[in-house]
């Protein structure tokens, strides 16, 4: 486990007494599902929990049977801790399950996506059209030499060609690795190299808050050091000027036109690697989380249907995440398409051209289900109720939340101002590693408490444990998962040892999620945030070590320590304590330069909100940086136990600096 684990675990205990948690403790409002909601709900009886408890494997087997398999499995589960195989020996194709089978069932003319670009351009794409485009592009990839098992990197804006690219990879058994379009060229390069991707699919650019994001330019910077890439396929989105390297780069539109034929879906093994998705851990090197095919699709399809109470024929579903994160993979692409749902796909930010863009979209498309993150909700709260208030949101019948703990105030605001005081809210806990939702209410069954993710879903087994791994029946501790689940990660790409160490070594026989959790007197679960060195900024995971490495990479910096401080809008904000090399001037300009540097190295999401210069950092006698103390300073709290400090004066000095240091926004 990481060096700071013990420090951070005491932080959790301390946080149990902090005002936020007391709010939770005082939270005694309960919202029962409306009778009308219960009557129409797909799942409205506790039997589903009972069935899953009685025989978890049989429960998942029945879910897997709802998919279309070209070869049936021989065994449901093979479990050699920590390596699981689900639906062993079975074969299927994800793109067949998401597209062909619906078209074969007469749903070809059904809308798969209502796409809206940030500038206001619209496209309606049916299942038949999506199937045609995916099959054609799968043929293009084949012609470029992409074969089953090859890795393909994707670096795109939120446009239809992004799901098309993912599904085209899945169609021919290639493994995709989507890199969020907000990441820097360096981050893209590292991810391409780790996966040894053969092809990169990108766009000339994308739109964000009215400006152009130069994706091709960033790709070109990355591509100077990515020897594995043979071809780059570029979608024309913005029409901005880009360089095309002859022999390597081609335009998507041109190859789509010139390629004859369509690729058929290739059946792959249930355990075949569907995708890699990189996420931050407690070290500087992002982890390539591996997800397989059969188990992943079975759990994603089930959870999508059950948690969002999906009525295939009437719902218009909108998950407002970015496909570059796992939420978009599972709940914009694979879950909704497997369930033959109509989704909204929106490219841009919520405040362009004005702060009511989302509510306009909901009104226009008659969205019935909205899935978003607490950080967005808190931003809307800050902007004011006049924006949602000026639109008809009465089509909405269910709301979802994901990415970080949702504070009861935000939950209540969401219900009142977006959900007209009647929509159930499903607060869904899960991770890149879990692949699909694990803890969440079922909206036709569960009585809701604002701020609680409530209970594990049917088929999922979790325990909150204490420091030594004993089960905590009531009270706080660490969240663990005690049995394998179908969509669980199959490992960290190229690093099985790190997989075992990160997730399976802290508590024997249990998966350690890295989150604190509490169980209240009614058995409800309350997630308390990360207990390791991973920050959660606007629902995105950023590793303290990764930001520290980026800072130390700057020629002026001698040493850096980074912590996440509570922030009313973004959940946590990044605060960097920096010691400069001698002779360097700790000016405001230098602070700005360092913030920019981190942005270039990792991406804008990792840019520190505040940089505090200090002559020294608080350390234990063995030289470990005491982040807990820095967090106290960052949040203006009284200092905790400082007896293990090498030089107590350092903290006092930092505290004084923090009080005078200008806050950046
Ligand atoms: C946090 C996002 C509280 C948690 C799907 C987890 C949450 C990390 C919730 C995973 C929630 C996600 N309540 N915390 N409903 N959902 N988290 O990998 O700390 O981007 O470990 O996956 O987000 O973030 P990731």
């Amino acid at each position: 486990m990481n060096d700071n684990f013990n420090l951070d675990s005491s932080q959790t205990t301390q946080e149990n007494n902090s005002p936020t948690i007391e709010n939770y403790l005082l939270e005694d409002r309960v919202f029962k599902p409306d009778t009308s909601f219960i009557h129409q709900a797909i799942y409205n009886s506790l039997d589903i929990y009972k069935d899953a408890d009685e025989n978890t494997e049989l429960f998942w087997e029945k879910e897997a049977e709802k998919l279309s398999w070209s070869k049936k499995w021989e065994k449901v589960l093979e479990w050699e801790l920590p390596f699981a195989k689900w639906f062993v020996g079975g074969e299927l194709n994800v793109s067949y399950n998401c597209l062909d089978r619906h078209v074969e069932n007469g749903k070809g003319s059904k809308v798969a996506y209502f796409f809206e670009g940030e500038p206001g351009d619209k496209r309606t794409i049916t299942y038949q059209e999506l199937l045609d485009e995916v099959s054609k592009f799968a043929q293009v990839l084949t012609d470029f030499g992409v074969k089953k098992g090859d890795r393909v990197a994707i670096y795109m804006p939120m446009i239809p060609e992004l799901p098309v690219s993912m599904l085209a990879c899945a169609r021919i058994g290639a493994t995709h690795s989507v890199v969020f379009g907000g990441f820097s060229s360096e981050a893209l390069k590292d991810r391409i190299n780790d996966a040894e991707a053969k092809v990169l699919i990108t766009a000339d650019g994308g739109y964000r808050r009215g400006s152009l994001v130069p994706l091709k330019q960033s790709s070109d910077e990355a591509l100077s050091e990515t020897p594995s890439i043979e071809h780059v396929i570029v979608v024309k989105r913005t029409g901005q000027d880009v360089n095309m390297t002859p022999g390597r780069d081609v335009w998507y539109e041109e190859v789509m036109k010139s390629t004859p034929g369509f690729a058929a879906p290739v059946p792959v093994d249930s355990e075949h690697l569907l995708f890699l998705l990189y996420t931050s851990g407690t070290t500087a090197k992002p982890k390539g989380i591996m997800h397989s095919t059969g188990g992943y699709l079975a759990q994603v399809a089930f959870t999508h249907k059950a948690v969002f109470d999906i009525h295939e024929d009437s719902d218009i579903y909108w998950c407002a995440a970015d496909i570059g994160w796992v939420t978009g993979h599972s709940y914009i692409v694979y879950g909704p398409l497997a369930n033959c749902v109509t989704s909204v796909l929106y490219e841009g930010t919520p405040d362009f051209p004005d702060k009511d863009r989302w509510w306009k979209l909901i009104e226009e498309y008659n969205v019935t289900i909205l899935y978003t993150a607490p950080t967005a909700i808190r931003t809307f709260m800050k902007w004011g109720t006049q924006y949602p208030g000026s639109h008809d949101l009465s089509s909405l019948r269910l709301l979802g939340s994901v990415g970080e703990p949702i504070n009861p105030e935000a939950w209540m605001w969401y219900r009142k101002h977006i959900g007209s005081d009647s929509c159930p809210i499903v607060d869904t806990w899960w991770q890149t590693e879990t692949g699909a939702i694990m803890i969440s209410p079922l909206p036709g069954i569960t009585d809701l408490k604002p701020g609680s993710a409530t209970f594990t879903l049917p088929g999922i087994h979790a325990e909150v444990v204490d420091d030594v791994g004993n089960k905590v029946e009531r009270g706080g501790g660490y969240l663990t998962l005690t049995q394998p689940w179908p969509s669980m990660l199959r490992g960290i790409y190229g690093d099985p040892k790190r997989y075992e160490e990160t997730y399976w070594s802290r508590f024997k026989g249990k998966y350690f999620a890295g989150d604190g959790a509490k169980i209240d007197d009614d058995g409800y679960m309350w997630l308390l945030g990360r207990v390791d060195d991973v920050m959660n900024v606007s629902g995105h995971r950023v590793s303290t070590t990764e930001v520290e490495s980026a800072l130390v990479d700057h020629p002026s910096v001698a040493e850096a320590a980074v912590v996440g401080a509570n922030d009313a809008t973004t959940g946590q904000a990044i605060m960097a304590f920096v010691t400069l090399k001698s002779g360097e001037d700790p000016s405001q300009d230098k602070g700005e330069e360092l913030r920019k540097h981190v942005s270039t190295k990792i991406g804008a999401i990792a840019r520190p909100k505040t940089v505090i210069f200090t002559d020294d950092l608080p350390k234990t006698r063995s030289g470990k940086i005491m982040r807990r103390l820095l967090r106290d300073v960052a949040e203006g709290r009284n200092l905790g136990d400082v007896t293990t400090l090498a030089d107590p004066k350092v903290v006092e000095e930092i505290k004084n600096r923090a009080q005078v240091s200008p806050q950046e926004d």
Side-chain angles (χ1 to χ4, degrees), residues 234-301:
V234 188
V235 177
K236 191 169 272 173
R237 168 67 185 138
T238 58
Q240 69 204 93
D241 269 348
V242 295
N243 291 319
M244 296 290 278
T245 303
R248 187 195 70 184
D249 303 354
V250 293
W251 288 105
Y252 176 92
E253 289 72 9
E254 285 176 14
V255 284
M256 287 292 274
K257 256 193 226 129
S258 62
T259 301
F262 296 87
V266 176
V268 297
D269 191 272
S270 176
E271 281 300 311
H272 184 73
L273 192 58
L274 175 65
F275 67 85
L276 293 175
L277 186 57
Y278 286 80
T279 190
S280 293
T282 53
T283 72
K285 192 175 183 291
K287 305 175 278 198
I289 301 299
M290 297 161 70
H291 279 292
S292 71
T293 301
Y296 173 78
L297 196 64
Q299 189 174 335
V300 160

Side-chain angles (χ1 to χ4, degrees), residues 548-566:
E548 285 164 7
S549 300
L551 284 165
V552 174
D553 173 80
H554 189 281
S556 311
V557 175
E559 201 172 29
V562 164
V563 296
N566 284 337

Side-chain angles (χ1 to χ4, degrees), residues 114 127 218 227 235 277 380 423 454 608 652:
F114 286 116
Y127 274 88
S218 300
V235 177
L277 186 57
F380 297 135
C423 295
T454 72
E652 280 313 311

Side-chain angles (χ1 to χ4, degrees), residues 327 403-405 427-432 515 527 530 536 541:
T327 305
E404 55 179 311
D427 174 9
T428 62
W429 179 90
W430 59 296
Q431 310 178 293
T432 305
D515 279 19
L527 278 305
R530 303 287 310 188
N536 190 326
R541 279 163 66 172

Side-chain angles (χ1 to χ4, degrees), residues 114-124 158-161 207 236-238 345-348 357 361 364-365:
F114 286 116
F115 168 72
E116 187 157 321
E118 195 183 75
D121 53 318
K122 298 176 203 299
R123 263 175 81 186
T124 299
M158 280 276 289
I159 54 176
E161 288 80 1
Y207 295 97
K236 191 169 272 173
R237 168 67 185 138
T238 58
L345 182 67
Y346 170 58
E347 178 188 27
R357 184 65 183 270
L361 285 163
E364 181 173 343
Y365 294 101

